[in-house]
Amino acid sequence: MPVIPHSASIAASALLLTVLAGCATPGDAPESTHGTNTSSDVAGNDALAPNLATTVAELPFARFGAAVTALASDAGSSGVDEDVFASREAFIADCMAAEGFTYTPAPYPEPESASYPWLENAIAVPELPADRSAVATRGYGQDDPDRADEGATLVDDADAEYIEGLSDQAVTAYMAALTGSRGPDDMNPAEDGGCQGRSETEFPARSDVSDSAAVQFQPLIMAMQKLVQRDIYTDQAVADLNEEWVGCMGEAGYDVGAPAGYPAPSVPGPMEGWNLAVITGADGTAHWSEVGTAMSDLPEDERALIGTEAEHAIAVADFDCRAETDYVERFTAALRSAQQEFVDRRGDELAAMEAAAGLS
């Protein structure tokens, strides 16, 4: 049964911050899926998952991280103040009561620090220990699957508990009253936006996020992010490098390719090795589930197949193939060259962004 987060009432500011950050905060992340090489929380606990970014030498985009961070902070401060948030939540509670439902006002969410992994001096390659013998005993860094559930926390959400107690028909009515005909992701507060939409009309934010410098430079920032997260994989040098790495893994006995029907990997190369490692059981069999299967829907023994000898062996093969192909060095060189070309071509815009952030 879906549960709508309280933060939906400040969605406009949150969406902008997410675009700038290039990654969702833990509370906004979609449910993990199995059998893809997206950054799934395979262990159900981010603190115990492998580090999916390998640190490298200075990259041209890194110098602009401070500017993007400053713009994101401005966007956040242009969002909903605490008293406005409280007024909206109280309005929603009264509105829902008039519709015959109980809604518990949420506490004000403290701003979270944004993260910009695509702007850091790192590449999207799972980190491995520098010493091969350590890889053989630790794999990708998680060698204690029994600890996978430690540190997991349950959010005390009275509304979620209330919704769980409703019938399916009542849940449908509840969501219609709360979010209206446009649904919970509607960005335009209006009468058909339910109690949440009307609360935003009744208690508007004191300033408009759309007027901020963050929005002005959003196309530039998104172009930078797209280069790092997508375009670089169409670079011929990177495509050739990934083909060499896949061939090496095949010679080592590991087919990292997904079964027919799976989409192309979002990040080809060693991320495919890591994905294979975390879906391979102790018997050496890869558990490819149906595309889009939620981690919580898998059998218990297929949710966190890390820390096994099979995972360690795949990590060792990955380590050897990276060494054989000079993977990190060659990928970094291609990314550095692409970023520098972008900086040279759009330097005036980048300088204007830094000026808008007060850094020049």
Side-chain angles (χ1 to χ4, degrees), residues 152-195:
T153 58
L154 295 176
V155 177
D156 183 13
D157 191 325
D159 288 318
E161 184 176 346
Y162 174 74
I163 294 172
E164 289 289 347
L166 298 177
S167 66
D168 290 345
Q169 184 178 6
V171 169
T172 299
Y174 177 98
M175 295 312 303
L178 180 64
T179 66
S181 61
R182 296 182 180 179
D185 296 324
D186 176 42
M187 301 296 290
N188 301 307
E191 288 300 314
D192 61 354
C195 292

Side-chain angles (χ1 to χ4, degrees), residues 229-320:
Q229 295 185 334
R230 291 179 53 187
D231 294 349
I232 191 60
Y233 298 103
T234 64
D235 181 283
Q236 191 59 52
V238 172
D240 291 343
L241 174 59
N242 281 328
E243 186 176 349
E244 288 181 39
W245 180 87
V246 169
C248 177
M249 290 293 286
E251 292 178 1
Y254 297 103
D255 180 4
V256 297
Y262 271 74
S266 55
V267 181
M271 281 289 286
E272 295 177 274
W274 173 74
N275 182 66
L276 181 65
V278 300
I279 66 169
T280 297
D283 62 354
T285 302
H287 297 261
W288 290 97
S289 59
E290 183 178 349
V291 175
T293 301
M295 190 69 65
S296 59
D297 291 338
L298 292 173
E300 187 86 25
D301 60 352
E302 293 184 21
R303 295 183 187 179
L305 303 179
I306 48 182
T308 65
E309 290 185 9
E311 181 258 323
H312 293 171
I314 294 172
V316 169
D318 181 9
F319 180 94
D320 290 342

Side-chain angles (χ1 to χ4, degrees), residues 22-353:
C23 63
T25 60
D28 295 327
E31 188 171 17
S32 299
T33 56
H34 203 54
T36 68
N37 74 351
T38 54
S39 299
S40 301
D41 177 11
V42 295
N45 185 343
D46 288 336
L48 295 177
N51 178 14
L52 302 183
T54 295
T55 302
V56 297
E58 187 73 23
L59 292 170
F61 280 3
R63 60 168 284 197
F64 302 104
V68 175
T69 300
L71 293 181
S73 297
D74 288 342
S77 63
S78 298
V80 181
D81 295 331
E82 185 170 3
D83 57 341
V84 174
F85 180 88
S87 296
R88 288 182 179 180
E89 289 295 310
F91 179 95
I92 294 172
D94 291 341
C95 177
M96 291 294 285
E99 297 290 337
F101 296 105
T102 298
Y103 178 91
T104 303
Y108 182 70
E110 293 297 327
E112 297 186 26
S113 298
S115 175
Y116 312 92
W118 57 273
L119 272 175
E120 297 171 0
N121 289 315
I123 58 176
V125 173
E127 185 179 46
L128 284 171
D131 185 80
R132 190 177 187 276
S133 62
V135 178
T137 57
R138 292 178 49 209
Y140 289 98
Q142 161 60 297
D143 56 358
D144 189 357
D146 291 337
R147 295 178 55 223
D149 292 329
E150 285 185 11
T153 58
L154 295 176
V155 177
D156 183 13
D157 191 325
D159 288 318
E161 184 176 346
Y162 174 74
I163 294 172
E164 289 289 347
L166 298 177
S167 66
D168 290 345
Q169 184 178 6
V171 169
T172 299
Y174 177 98
M175 295 312 303
L178 180 64
T179 66
S181 61
R182 296 182 180 179
D185 296 324
D186 176 42
M187 301 296 290
N188 301 307
E191 288 300 314
D192 61 354
C195 292
Q196 283 187 338
R198 293 198 290 277
S199 76
E200 293 174 24
T201 300
E202 186 74 18
F203 299 98
R206 290 198 172 87
S207 58
D208 190 349
V209 173
S210 65
D211 293 333
S212 70
V215 171
Q216 177 186 346
F217 291 100
Q218 181 179 324
L220 175 65
I221 295 170
M222 291 182 68
M224 297 169 71
Q225 181 181 344
K226 181 172 176 286
L227 184 154
V228 174
Q229 295 185 334
R230 291 179 53 187
D231 294 349
I232 191 60
Y233 298 103
T234 64
D235 181 283
Q236 191 59 52
V238 172
D240 291 343
L241 174 59
N242 281 328
E243 186 176 349
E244 288 181 39
W245 180 87
V246 169
C248 177
M249 290 293 286
E251 292 178 1
Y254 297 103
D255 180 4
V256 297
Y262 271 74
S266 55
V267 181
M271 281 289 286
E272 295 177 274
W274 173 74
N275 182 66
L276 181 65
V278 300
I279 66 169
T280 297
D283 62 354
T285 302
H287 297 261
W288 290 97
S289 59
E290 183 178 349
V291 175
T293 301
M295 190 69 65
S296 59
D297 291 338
L298 292 173
E300 187 86 25
D301 60 352
E302 293 184 21
R303 295 183 187 179
L305 303 179
I306 48 182
T308 65
E309 290 185 9
E311 181 258 323
H312 293 171
I314 294 172
V316 169
D318 181 9
F319 180 94
D320 290 342
C321 288
R322 293 189 204 182
E324 182 175 317
T325 60
D326 293 323
Y327 193 94
V328 171
E329 294 78 6
R330 290 167 62 188
F331 186 96
T332 302
L335 182 59
R336 182 179 291 115
S337 176
Q339 289 189 7
Q340 188 59 55
E341 189 277 332
F342 185 102
V343 171
D344 293 342
R345 178 165 45 88
R346 304 185 68 169
D348 290 345
E349 296 174 80
L350 291 165
M353 181 178 70

